[in-house]
Amino acid sequence: MASLLRTTPTHLLRSSLVSSRRAALPFLQTRSQSNGPPLANTPVSNFKAPNAPSEEASALKDSNKPASFLGTTKRLPEFNLHGKVVLVTGAARGLGLVQAEALLEAGATVYALDRLAEPSEEFLRVQKRAAEELGTTLHYRQIDVRDVAGLNEIVKSISDSQGKLDGLISAAGRQQETSALEYTAKDANTMFEVNITGSFMTAQAVAKEMIRWGNGGSIAMIASMSGTIANKVHSLLPPPLLLPPPADHKSQGLICPAYNASKAGVIQLARNLAAEWGTHGIRVNTISPGYIATAMVEALFEQYPERKRDWPTQNMLGQLSVPQQYRGAAVFLISDASSFMTAADLRIDGGHSAW
């Protein structure tokens, strides 16, 4: 070998070594020639998610054997909510119901609490799907979160019947758009009773049961980006006389001082509950959505069409969110995927608050 090195020109030796490496590792040659991925990582066209394993497919047909494609032993098991009992307030419809369905898909047994005498038709669809497709159950309990005695009774009865309580998503809330100069004390107190005190008392009732069973748990409260920022609005006063008044100067933006204050309270409340209950293994976090295109907001756009035009321009993605975009956040916060996360605010607002 020494003589070969002494007698062979350097450029021929280098060429011989490269050729031998290419022969041993053909994917390197392919990559260098095509400047694309190696053969071992060829892109797959028309990719579709694989079917659930056969044992899960059969379990999905039996409501006594809950199954979940996501959360199996080989597929992100930390997201698995099988055997978990989770309460969701404000889940008769809207964002609360969408998040309840996500929890069901992850395998949880879900109890929806809402003040409506009857849940929405969409709720009935989700309830039917839970039993027939997801192998779990969705229940409904009517309660106003301001009824503290009734709330405690319902939460304890659920806990007793299930022998545990693992999670809560506090999504019950109230919104009212009124200028600060016109807000009444009665309306402001109602806002705070539902959004702050109602969330507080619900979390308290659930935490008592979690502590009673000694298994810890996770609580997620729905706050808002408006709990951190003041929504941009045009002046409610007419512009100077020298300038022509814009046609929409009184209606553009979102004017809800009590609501924003209540959501700020929810964020701070969660931090304090997390500090007190962490020793019991209870985590408390908040989700702060941006503008959501719900049925209620769509009706608002009919009254203020300029909002439908302008609101999407106020975030970095240039669009409004939909309730389905918060499904993953609910599962993440309730599951063990967020096991080291507490006293945090998960802001999902398309970058609105970061300008």
Side-chain angles (χ1 to χ4, degrees):
M1 183 65 180
S3 61
L4 178 63
L5 292 175
R6 283 194 299 269
T7 60
T8 304
T10 304
H11 71 279
L12 294 178
L13 177 60
R14 186 176 300 142
S15 176
S16 175
L17 290 173
V18 171
S19 298
S20 63
R21 286 175 180 173
R22 285 179 175 171
L25 300 172
F27 67 88
L28 291 177
Q29 183 179 10
T30 302
R31 184 168 187 171
S32 64
Q33 290 178 351
S34 65
N35 199 29
L39 292 177
N41 190 32
T42 304
V44 178
S45 60
N46 299 322
F47 175 79
K48 294 182 179 179
N51 294 325
S54 57
E55 62 272 15
E56 285 194 57
S58 61
L60 285 171
K61 299 178 181 179
D62 186 346
S63 61
N64 294 319
K65 297 178 180 179
S68 169
F69 191 34
L70 177 68
T72 59
T73 56
K74 295 184 178 179
R75 293 176 181 84
L76 295 172
E78 61 269 37
F79 286 93
N80 193 329
L81 295 180
H82 289 167
K84 301 291 186 182
V85 180
V86 184
L87 274 57
V88 184
T89 64
R93 58 187 177 185
L95 178 62
L97 178 57
V98 169
Q99 293 187 317
E101 185 172 16
L103 297 171
L104 292 164
E105 289 181 16
T109 295
V110 178
Y111 284 81
L113 279 60
D114 205 296
R115 66 183 181 85
L116 298 181
E118 296 289 340
S120 64
E121 291 186 7
E122 180 67 7
F123 180 95
L124 300 179
R125 178 197 66 79
V126 175
Q127 189 175 52
K128 184 173 184 290
R129 181 177 179 235
E132 297 180 359
E133 297 180 24
L134 304 177
T136 184
T137 53
L138 173 62
H139 310 266
Y140 187 75
R141 299 289 186 272
Q142 182 190 9
I143 188 66
D144 188 319
V145 293
R146 292 174 294 180
D147 179 3
V148 179
L151 180 65
N152 277 278
E153 183 179 348
I154 286 178
V155 171
K156 189 175 187 306
S157 67
I158 293 172
S159 176
D160 286 339
S161 65
Q162 294 290 335
K164 62 188 307 187
L165 204 52
D166 302 292
L168 164 69
I169 293 185
S170 178
R174 181 182 177 89
Q175 167 66 297
Q176 179 180 333
E177 187 172 0
T178 304
S179 71
L181 292 176
E182 298 171 334
Y183 232 106
T184 67
K186 179 180 179 181
D187 286 347
N189 287 335
T190 299
M191 181 72 67
F192 299 144
E193 285 173 1
V194 174
N195 292 2
I196 299 182
T197 307
S199 296
F200 189 179
M201 294 298 100
T202 304
Q204 181 190 77
V206 169
K208 286 179 179 179
E209 296 306 306
M210 291 177 173
I211 293 171
R212 176 161 74 102
W213 296 111
N215 298 321
S218 179
I219 295 173
M221 297 179 173
I222 304 301
S224 171
M225 69 173 184
S226 301
T228 304
I229 64 168
N231 301 68
K232 182 178 180 180
V233 297
H234 279 195
S235 173
L236 293 178
L237 298 176
L241 295 177
L242 296 179
L243 298 176
D248 57 358
H249 80 279
K250 289 187 177 180
S251 59
Q252 192 174 8
L254 188 63
I255 305 162
C256 42
Y259 174 83
N260 289 16
S262 72
K263 291 304 183 179
V266 169
I267 294 172
Q268 181 65 354
L269 171 65
R271 294 190 187 110
N272 283 271
L273 298 182
E276 286 195 40
W277 298 341
T279 55
H280 299 288
I282 299 173
R283 300 182 294 107
V284 187
N285 295 286
T286 53
I287 300 175
S288 286
Y291 289 130
I292 307 176
T294 61
M296 186 181 302
V297 170
E298 290 294 342
L300 193 66
F301 287 158
E302 294 182 8
Q303 183 179 3
Y304 302 113
E306 71 281 353
R307 296 184 181 183
K308 188 171 186 178
R309 176 196 69 212
D310 295 328
W311 282 4
T313 68
Q314 295 175 10
N315 67 59
M316 298 175 182
L317 298 179
Q319 63 188 39
L320 299 180
S321 68
V322 294
Q324 287 72 18
Q325 290 176 299
Y326 302 89
R327 286 164 38 90
V331 175
F332 170 67
L333 289 180
I334 296 300
S335 73
D336 289 340
S338 59
S339 60
F340 196 59
M341 181 176 178
T342 195
D345 179 44
L346 190 57
R347 192 182 304 169
I348 309 173
D349 65 353
H352 186 119
S353 308
W355 285 116

